[in-house]
Every structure is written in structure tokens, then in C-alpha cells.
């Protein structure tokens, strides 16, 4: 949907993960567009689908 960065920033600016120290949700601080939107293809799918040639999503680490 292309809104992950904006959603994480909104959540990070309006929520508190640690109620004692009032720390915000930290995920938005390290977000990298083009990298963190990718998910891995499960190993069982890679192994059972020869079209994938054993390759995962490009740039997925």
C-alpha cells in the first residue's frame, strides 16, 4: 500500500512503548524505504516452486 513509513512515524509519535520512561515506539527511526517493505518468501515455497529458482525477494536481507 506504500504507507508503512507514514504509519510507523504516526505510531512512533503518538504512542509510548515503555510507560515508565515514556519512550516512543522506535521502529520508525530506522525505517529504510525499499528495504523494510519486503518480506522473505518462505523456504518451503522457494523449494517447491522451480520458477523462483531458489531466489528470495530482491534486496531482502
Amino acid at each position: 500500500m506504500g504507507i508503512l513509513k507514514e504509519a510507523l512515524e504516526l505510531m512512533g509519535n503518538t504512542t509510548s512503548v515503555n510507560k515508565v520512561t515514556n519512550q516512543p515506539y522506535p521502529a520508525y527511526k530506522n525505517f529504510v524505504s525499499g528495504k523494510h517493505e519486503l518480506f522473505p518468501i518462505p523456504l518451503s515455497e522457494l523449494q517447491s516452486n522451480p520458477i523462483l529458482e531458489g531466489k528470495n525477494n530482491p534486496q531482502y536481507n
Side-chain angles (χ1 to χ4, degrees), residues 9-24:
E9 286 175 349
L10 178 64
M11 186 173 177
N13 290 325
T14 61
T15 63
S16 177
V17 174
N18 188 328
K19 301 289 184 190
V20 175
T21 60
N22 199 28
Q23 295 295 314

Side-chain angles (χ1 to χ4, degrees), residues 30-44:
N30 299 321
F31 183 82
V32 177
S33 292
K35 177 180 179 183
H36 292 127
E37 293 104 342
L38 298 175
F39 289 98
I41 299 172
L43 181 60
S44 60

